Every structure is written in structure tokens, then in C-alpha cells.
Amino acid sequence: LRVSYELSAALSGSLEFDALLLRIVDTLLRLFGADRGVVLLRDDAGVLRPRCSRTAAGTSTEVPYSNTIVNEALAARNSILSFDASVDVRFKAAESVLAQGIRSSMAAPMLRGDDALGVIVLDSSMRVGVFTEKDLKILQTAANQAAIALHNSMLAQQLVSEAARRGRFERLVAPNLVERILSGALSVERAGVNRDVSILFSDIRGFTSFSETRRPEEIVSLLNDYFEDMVDIVFRNEGTLDKFVGDEIMALFGAPVGHAADARRAVQTSIEMQTGRAELNARWASRGVPPFQVGVGINTGEVTAGFIGSSKALSYTVIGDVVNTAARFC
């Protein structure tokens, strides 16, 4: 009960995966009086690999462990105990047991239902008979407890990652396409791929000189009002918002998701933009804003599309001469 309580206390308040691993190993080393501890977890290919190795002194270092002991615990789906691994007949063929100086050792699979997340190994290199059968049972309970905590941490990280991914796509494409992308029904290539895309550029004519006569906060308010309407039109025609550049909008039709008649969708968007611009002029007239014109340029051809940027800031875009020509048309 004390071990369970102290492990729960150690694991509370944090869902960060690596921090949880450190707390698990450090707490178990202290509670069982072990010299070394290691947590092995399955990677994406299902191979067990060390994820956290610690000594009783609280240092992170490569901790030796016996694959024989680990595999035995995993195969049996149960914890195993060796009072003196150097003379244990189960491991007589395991040269690593002697080479690594393993004497007393316990290994427990981290079970969550029928799934084994990995294995926890505690050992002593100095003494025999350090651990008892009671310790073994307690370690198995603690390992299962740790498995639940780590599983919850992985779920939390997945939720955060999906929320970030959803947010990224919600700024790019229409809401109905976001769900299809996140569900896997539509794929978005991270690496650059060549594909036929229709690129649309639009900008407000004379906006630079107009903005010089207005307060900055008014300019921002007008632009946000304008972008709100224009982006709705892009999404309504299932286009992708690439970026804003000042008062300019760049939109894609055919990337990351292609449709039949993408070029026609781009042209339809430009027509609706002009209609929306006229409606905005009528709304803004009461605020004393003079009517404005919008220019649109569209070009279709093969471009390179994909996520471009650094590991900290990626954006989906297209590059190529087709893009430059569309901008010149605008």
C-alpha cells in the first residue's frame, strides 16, 4: 500500500512522458533499495528499447540489463525474480548476466490489459538475495500502475498533437476537409510533391496609399473584416488558404487536396470575391470608407507542394514559376 501510494504521489501532477519515466525509475529505486533500474518500451516497430536508465545515485547513464531476463518476463507476462542471477539455471546461457555483474534482479512487464507497454528491470550488482517474493508482487503492481500513467501521458500527447494539427489545417482548408484529413480519408504529404494546382492571388488596389491616411487600428479592423469575408469564399469553394501578405491573399486549388475542375473553382472564387467586395463597399460607406477595388490573378500549372520551414515553424505552400506568374497577373 505504501509503495502504491508513494508511486501515485510521484506520478501525479505531470503528464510529460520523459518526466514520468524519470519519476517512475527514481521512485522504484528508492522504494526497493536497488542499485540500478531501466525501463524498456516498445518502439513503433514493436522492438523493446531502453527509454530511461538510472542509478541509485540519481544519475542517468547506460544501465546494463540482460535480454534473457527481459524476454523471460515479457514472454510469461509475469514478473520474474533471481536471487543470484550468476548461478540461476534459467540464465546459465546468458553470458551478459555475468559480464554485466548482475546479481539480484527483478523484471516486471508493464501490463495494461492484454497489452505490454514494456518492462521494468531493477537489479543489484553488489549483493545476492536483495529482493523477495513479496517485492516481486509489489513490483508487478507498481509496473502496471506505471503502465497506466505512461499510457495516459501518451494519450494526452496525442490529443495535444492532434489539436495542433487540427488548428494548423483549420487555418488552411475548409472545415469539411479538416475532418477528412485528420481521419486519414485524405492524405497530406509532408515532403514536397509535384502536382497541378491553380493559384489565386488577390489584393486591394491602392491600399498602401489608403492606409497612410488612416489610423493603424482602423486599418487592422478593416483588413480583418475584409479577410473574414474573402477566406469564407475561398473555403466555400474548397480552396486552401496559403498566406496573407499585407492586404494580399494567396489561395490554392488542388493542394493539399485535389478536386475535379480546380481551375473552375478558382475562377468561381474570384467572381464571388468581386461580389463580396461590392457588399463590403456598401457596408463600409456608412463608416466613411471610400469604395475600393480588388484585383485577382489566377494561373494553373505544375508546382512543388509541401510543408516548408524549420522544425519549429512549418507552413504548407507551393513554389514554382507558376506561382510567380499568378502573382504577376494579379
Side-chain angles (χ1 to χ4, degrees):
L1 285 174
R2 181 175 62 84
V3 170
S4 181
Y5 169 76
E6 293 199 22
L7 187 59
S8 295
L11 300 183
S12 63
S14 175
L15 284 176
E16 203 281 314
F17 196 81
D18 290 332
L20 277 176
L21 282 172
L22 283 174
R23 291 186 183 186
I24 289 167
V25 179
D26 285 345
T27 302
L28 294 179
L29 285 172
R30 175 173 55 83
L31 292 173
F32 288 100
D35 294 329
R36 303 174 298 199
V38 58
V39 173
L40 299 100
L41 299 176
R42 294 187 186 277
D43 61 14
D44 293 338
V47 179
L48 274 180
R49 300 190 185 280
R51 281 294 303 269
C52 183
S53 302
R54 303 278 280 176
T55 67
T59 57
S60 294
T61 183
E62 186 175 344
V63 171
Y65 64 92
S66 167
N67 283 319
T68 306
I69 295 173
V70 168
N71 293 334
E72 172 84 7
L74 202 57
R77 285 293 198 275
N78 202 1
S79 52
I80 63 170
L81 169 65
S82 178
F83 293 102
D84 186 352
S86 64
V87 297
D88 196 319
V89 294
R90 293 174 297 178
F91 312 123
K92 62 181 180 180
E95 295 180 3
S96 60
V97 169
L98 292 174
Q100 295 163 2
I102 298 172
R103 302 301 295 273
S104 297
S105 179
M106 290 192 298
M110 303 171 67
L111 302 176
R112 181 183 164 275
D114 294 330
D115 294 331
L117 238 63
V119 179
I120 294 176
V121 180
L122 302 178
D123 73 39
S124 172
S125 59
M126 303 299 294
R127 296 174 294 160
V128 299
V130 174
F131 310 119
T132 67
E133 291 289 348
K134 182 188 291 186
D135 291 330
L136 192 65
K137 292 178 180 178
I138 295 173
L139 178 62
Q140 185 60 69
T141 301
N144 294 345
Q145 193 175 344
I148 293 172
L150 291 173
H151 179 73
N152 289 341
S153 174
M154 287 188 287
L155 288 179
Q157 290 181 359
Q158 288 173 7
L159 289 173
V160 170
S161 176
E162 182 174 328
R165 191 163 177 251
R166 177 182 294 275
R168 185 163 63 244
F169 283 122
E170 282 177 343
R171 293 191 294 271
L172 286 174
V173 300
N176 64 313
L177 294 180
V178 173
E179 296 302 327
R180 295 172 64 192
I181 292 171
L182 292 176
S183 68
L186 294 173
S187 62
V188 177
E189 303 88 352
R190 288 183 62 87
V193 294
N194 292 335
R195 60 192 307 161
D196 286 327
V197 175
S198 292
I199 298 100
L200 178 150
F201 282 91
S202 73
D203 75 351
I204 301 173
R205 295 300 191 229
F207 186 79
T208 300
S209 57
F210 168 77
S211 63
E212 292 172 352
T213 65
R214 301 280 170 161
R215 300 188 313 277
E217 58 269 24
E218 183 182 8
I219 295 299
V220 170
S221 175
L222 291 172
L223 272 180
N224 285 339
D225 201 11
Y226 167 74
F227 286 146
E228 191 74 30
D229 286 7
M230 296 300 111
V231 171
D232 281 347
I233 292 169
V234 171
F235 284 176
R236 189 161 61 238
N237 288 283
E238 299 193 1
T240 299
L241 176 65
D242 187 295
K243 63 175 67 73
F244 300 120
V245 182
D247 61 300
E248 184 179 68
I249 297 172
M250 176 180 172
L252 315 174
F253 296 82
V257 179
H259 300 86
D262 279 317
R264 185 180 183 86
R265 290 174 186 272
V267 173
Q268 180 63 32
T269 298
S270 72
I271 294 171
E272 293 181 20
M273 281 180 162
Q274 296 294 2
T275 302
R277 182 265 313 167
E279 293 172 353
L280 271 175
N281 277 336
R283 291 209 311 263
W284 287 356
S286 61
R287 299 167 60 178
V289 179
F292 67 95
Q293 301 294 324
V294 170
V296 180
I298 300 170
N299 193 27
T300 298
E302 187 177 77
V303 297
T304 300
F307 284 95
I308 295 175
S310 73
S311 60
K312 297 181 178 63
L314 282 174
S315 61
Y316 187 87
T317 191
V318 295
I319 56 175
D321 187 61
V322 174
V323 181
N324 303 331
T325 303
R328 288 195 293 271
F329 285 159
C330 181

